[in-house]
């Protein structure tokens, strides 16, 4: 099998042939001979890796499941997604991790990793053997999974160090979160101010020495605190593309909240100049009914796994985002951080790629997307969608729909 076209190889676009064997890239040459050739116009890029999704299994499958979630991922050009543990019940024990793998494996169109949720009571060794990575909620946010006693959790530092796992932290210090009725996005923002993010990063600093990753950095002050910590970090498309002044009401309620324009601008600057490692969607689908139940009772979170790549490629198309930054933050860095042979068009790497035509943007419409939730905060915005997604050398998306059977694999525990 040979894929031919203008591909992003070793930092630049080159006309080439990519030879695939057993799902991996076997050679890259100017020309290659073979019977089975797929030729693409436009450009060929590595497929993306999303380090932060909520596919809602088990227990919350009215919002999403692995079939719908990984379908959305594949159609959005993502071939590996890392699923969060705040499910029902939460993924917090080795038994539950194993049950989860068994339940979702046959429904996954793309590869997946699973986070185990950490608390001060966690069986670290058992989780290290069953989970891909760890997630720590310093404050609860949808579901009641959170570290209860942080000083007790600090007592697990040696065990955590021995486990050597990637630890994604939801950095909101519960001491800075104010209760009270919220009617609008401004009220929600006021209840979870940027000082909560700063406080959360300061708490995380007490775990220095571990592989700490700051999930969804959202504020200018948070970025200042992040500098010099040595932690890796991610930003979401919703914090890049939206702010508290948008008119989406409860549909844009999310934790950490959408903030001010100056925060949004600071995130773009940090993203552009390399201070943020990755873009991750924090795909957090909730149903329309739940979101329409009144601002205060509406759950926080919004979908995004299918629109991350389209939104960012639209910026590339318009010349406001260098292609290298896109590939680094969506493909290369997430793969490196989780030790995956993905995210690059290079010999020995998984043959996961997307073909895109930068001359063909289209409007983002919920009707065209694949999450069960049926809505998108980016409705009407322009995006460049993959024409096709290639996963382990096979075309799994053609003309906006998935084809074939689910063949995603669990990335597993050795990461
Ligand atoms: O807004 C959010 N929604 N933030 C989170 O941390 C969790 C997520 C969810 O699970 O819905
Ligand atoms: Zn999340």
């Amino acid at each position: 099998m040979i894929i031919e076209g203008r591909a992003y190889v070793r930092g630049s676009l080159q006309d080439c042939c990519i030879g695939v064997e057993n799902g991996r890239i076997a050679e890259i040459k100017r020309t290659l001979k073979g019977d089975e050739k797929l030729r693409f116009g436009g450009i060929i890029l590595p497929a993306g890796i999303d380090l932060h999704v909520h596919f809602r299994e088990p227990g919350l499958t009215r919002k999403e499941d692995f079939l719908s979630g990984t379908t959305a991922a594949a159609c959005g050009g993502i071939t590996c997604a890392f699923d969060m543990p705040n499910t029902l019940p939460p993924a917090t024990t080795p038994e539950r991790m194993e049950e989860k793998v068994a339940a979702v494996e046959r429904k996954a169109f793309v590869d997946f990793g699973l986070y185990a949720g950490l608390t001060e009571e966690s069986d670290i060794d058992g989780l290290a053997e069953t989970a891909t990575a760890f997630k720590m909620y310093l404050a609860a946010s949808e579901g009641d999974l959170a570290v209860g006693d942080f000083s007790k959790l600090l007592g697990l530092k040696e065990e955590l160090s021995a486990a050597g796992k990637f630890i994604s932290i939801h950095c909101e210090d519960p001491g800075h979160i104010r209760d009270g009725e919220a009617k609008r996005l401004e009220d929600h923002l006021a209840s979870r101010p940027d000082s909560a993010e700063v406080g959360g990063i300061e708490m995380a600093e007490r775990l220095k020495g571990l592989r700490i990753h700051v999930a969804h950095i959202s504020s200018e002050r948070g970025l200042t605190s992040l500098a010099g910590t040595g932690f890796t970090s991610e930003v979401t498309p919703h914090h890049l593309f939206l702010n508290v002044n948008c008119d989406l009401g409860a549909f844009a309620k999310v934790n950490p909240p959408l903030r001010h324009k100056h925060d949004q601008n600071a995130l773009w600057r940090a993203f552009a100049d390399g201070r943020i490692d990755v873009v991750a969607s924090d795909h957090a689908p909730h149903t329309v009914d739940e979101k329409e139940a009144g601002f205060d009772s509406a759950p926080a979170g919004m979908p995004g796994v299918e629109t991350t790549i389209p939104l960012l490629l639209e910026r590339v198309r318009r010349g406001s985002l260098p292609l290298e930054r896109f590939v680094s933050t969506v493909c290369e860095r997430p793969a490196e951080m989780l030790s995956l042979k993905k995210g690059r068009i290079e010999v020995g790497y998984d043959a996961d790629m997307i073909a895109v035509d930068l001359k063909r943007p289209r409007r983002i419409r919920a009707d065209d997307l694949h999450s069960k939730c049926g809505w998108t905060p980016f409705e009407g915005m322009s995006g460049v969608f993959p024409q096709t997604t290639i996963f382990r050398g096979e075309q799994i998306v053609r003309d906006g729909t998935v084809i074939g059977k689910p063949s995603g694999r669990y990335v597993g525990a050795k990461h």
Side-chain angles (χ1 to χ4, degrees):
M1 158 76 144
I2 292 162
I3 294 159
E4 192 177 1
R6 195 160 174 73
Y8 188 88
V9 179
R10 285 184 284 280
S12 67
L13 290 169
Q14 305 176 13
D15 290 315
C16 63
C17 289
I18 302 158
V20 177
E21 264 174 44
N22 301 323
R24 291 234 158 139
I25 298 171
E27 49 185 345
I28 303 172
K29 294 256 165 65
R30 190 91 200 170
T31 54
L32 280 173
K33 285 205 175 63
D35 301 332
E36 241 192 301
K37 251 190 189 181
L38 270 180
R39 196 184 153 77
F40 294 105
I43 56 173
I44 302 168
L45 302 173
I49 291 141
D50 193 334
L51 287 188
H52 193 150
V53 302
H54 299 262
F55 285 163
R56 307 301 191 199
E57 285 208 54
L60 297 163
T61 52
R62 63 180 190 283
K63 301 173 195 261
E64 197 77 284
D65 59 31
F66 263 69
L67 196 64
S68 57
T70 58
T71 300
C75 292
I78 301 288
T79 54
C80 191
F82 286 74
D83 189 61
M84 287 294 168
N86 59 333
T87 46
L88 255 181
T92 46
T93 66
E95 296 73 32
R96 287 184 191 165
M97 297 310 303
E98 275 165 9
E99 279 164 25
K100 184 163 176 175
V101 176
V104 305
E105 211 163 27
R106 280 182 304 274
K107 302 188 210 166
F109 272 100
V110 299
D111 287 345
F112 61 96
L114 298 178
Y115 287 97
L118 288 186
T119 69
E120 60 278 24
E121 262 127 46
S122 295
D123 163 7
I124 304 293
D125 292 346
L127 290 175
E129 276 171 33
T130 48
T132 316
F134 292 159
K135 174 68 184 279
M136 201 186 287
Y137 286 92
L138 297 180
S141 168
E142 294 314 313
D144 44 21
L145 176 58
V147 174
D149 184 337
F150 190 67
S151 53
K152 257 197 186 165
L153 188 127
L154 291 174
L156 300 178
K157 198 171 166 186
E158 258 174 48
E159 276 177 72
L160 286 168
S161 173
K165 290 269 169 184
F166 179 86
I167 308 174
S168 175
I169 306 191
H170 181 118
C171 289
E172 285 187 291
D173 177 348
H176 289 253
I177 296 176
R178 292 193 284 272
D179 290 333
E181 203 193 347
K183 295 203 173 78
R184 304 167 307 147
L185 288 173
E186 286 90 338
D187 305 333
H188 183 61
L189 170 55
S191 74
R192 305 180 87 110
D194 54 4
S195 61
E197 186 160 85
V198 170
I201 294 170
E202 283 165 3
M203 287 167 79
E205 286 202 79
R206 302 186 60 191
L207 293 165
K208 240 185 190 157
L210 306 180
R211 287 167 67 196
I212 302 300
H213 175 73
V214 176
H216 41 50
I217 184 95
S218 64
S219 68
E220 185 164 22
R221 288 182 60 204
L223 284 165
T224 306
S225 301
L226 181 68
T229 57
F231 299 159
T232 56
S233 65
E234 77 192 23
V235 65
T236 69
H238 47 269
H239 289 109
L240 285 173
F241 285 85
L242 304 170
N243 63 51
V244 67
N245 301 314
C246 73
D247 59 6
L248 296 169
F251 286 90
K253 182 177 171 186
V254 66
N255 298 329
L258 296 184
R259 300 191 191 273
H260 300 292
K261 186 78 191 160
H262 72 88
D263 294 298
Q264 190 185 0
N265 291 340
L267 291 171
W268 273 109
R269 284 196 303 275
F271 169 49
D273 68 20
R275 278 176 285 143
I276 295 175
D277 296 83
V278 308
V279 180
S281 69
D282 196 359
H283 175 79
H286 296 288
T287 65
V288 170
D289 285 355
E290 289 169 321
K291 283 294 201 181
E292 284 181 342
F295 192 94
D296 208 35
S297 44
M302 52 182 107
V305 70
E306 193 167 354
T307 43
T308 303
I309 287 181
L311 285 167
L312 292 175
L313 283 180
E314 170 65 8
R315 291 286 167 134
V316 173
R317 184 184 78 81
R318 288 201 238 150
S320 55
L321 175 67
L323 183 59
E324 301 76 58
R325 277 310 289 147
F326 168 83
V327 176
S328 169
T329 53
V330 176
C331 317
E332 293 170 351
R333 287 294 289 139
E336 275 163 22
M337 283 155 51
L338 272 301
S339 316
L340 304 174
K341 282 274 191 188
K342 286 187 184 288
R344 287 174 194 270
I345 300 178
E346 200 166 302
V347 172
Y349 280 61
D350 285 352
D352 292 4
M353 291 165 253
I354 55 174
V356 299
D357 186 348
L358 286 180
K359 294 193 191 69
R360 290 217 175 159
R362 65 167 218 247
R363 297 257 162 241
I364 294 174
R365 299 281 179 220
D367 282 352
D368 299 330
L369 302 177
H370 298 82
S371 169
K372 259 194 202 181
C373 73
W375 61 279
T376 169
F378 308 112
E379 184 77 33
M381 289 188 184
S382 196
V384 178
F385 285 79
Q387 296 173 304
T388 186
T389 302
I390 296 163
F391 171 60
R392 300 187 188 284
E394 306 274 341
Q395 252 182 306
I396 58 162
V397 174
R398 206 185 287 149
D399 302 327
T401 37
V402 283
I403 50 178
K405 291 207 181 70
S407 63
R409 297 180 201 159
Y410 181 39
V411 157
K414 292 188 178 51
H415 295 268

